């Protein structure tokens, strides 16, 4: 699990840098709650944008992202999420 946490921290850092976001983090849904898996960035105390990547992996974004950038991000993150879901 430590390897997955490090992988998610690294991916979140790349996303923050590439898309100019304040914070990105990943969780695993557990009923009505979310189990934090890993992330990167500075919290800006705004409501994060929730993106369900798979049934086992959710991504939260803090900061502004354009629709075009969001499409690029989803295109980049979806294969990563599907591969990672097999391991968690």
């Amino acid at each position: 699990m430590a390897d997955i946490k490090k992988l998610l921290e690294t991916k979140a850092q790349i996303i923050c840098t590439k898309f100019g976001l304040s914070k990105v983090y990943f969780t695993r849904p557990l009923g009505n709650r979310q189990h934090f898996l890993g992330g990167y960035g500075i919290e800006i105390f705004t409501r994060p944008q929730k993106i369900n990547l798979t049934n086992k992996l959710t991504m939260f974004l803090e900061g502004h992202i354009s629709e075009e950038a969001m499409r690029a991000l989803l295109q980049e993150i979806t294969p990563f999420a599907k591969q990672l879901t097999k391991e968690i």
Side-chain angles (χ1 to χ4, degrees):
M1 191 62 149
D3 293 338
I4 291 174
K5 182 176 181 173
K6 184 65 178 163
L7 179 66
L8 290 172
E9 287 172 354
T10 302
K11 191 65 168 178
Q13 183 177 10
I14 291 168
I15 292 168
C16 281
T17 303
K18 186 172 182 178
F19 295 97
L21 295 166
S22 297
K23 185 174 185 178
V24 174
Y25 56 99
F26 297 92
T27 65
R28 182 173 182 181
L30 296 174
N32 291 334
R33 300 177 184 212
Q34 299 288 327
H35 174 70
F36 180 82
L37 296 173
Y40 175 85
I42 299 169
E43 193 166 353
I44 57 173
F45 302 103
T46 61
R47 183 178 297 260
Q49 184 173 358
K50 178 181 175 183
I51 302 166
N52 294 316
L53 299 172
T54 68
N55 62 341
K56 292 184 179 179
L57 189 64
T58 302
M59 179 173 63
F60 288 86
L61 309 175
E62 291 187 19
H64 177 72
I65 186 166
S66 69
E67 288 184 32
E68 184 178 327
M70 179 60 82
R71 283 191 295 274
L73 171 58
L74 290 175
Q75 189 174 26
E76 178 180 320
I77 198 74
T78 301
F80 169 81
K82 287 180 180 177
Q83 183 63 35
L84 185 67
T85 298
K86 294 176 186 175
E87 298 178 28
I88 57 174

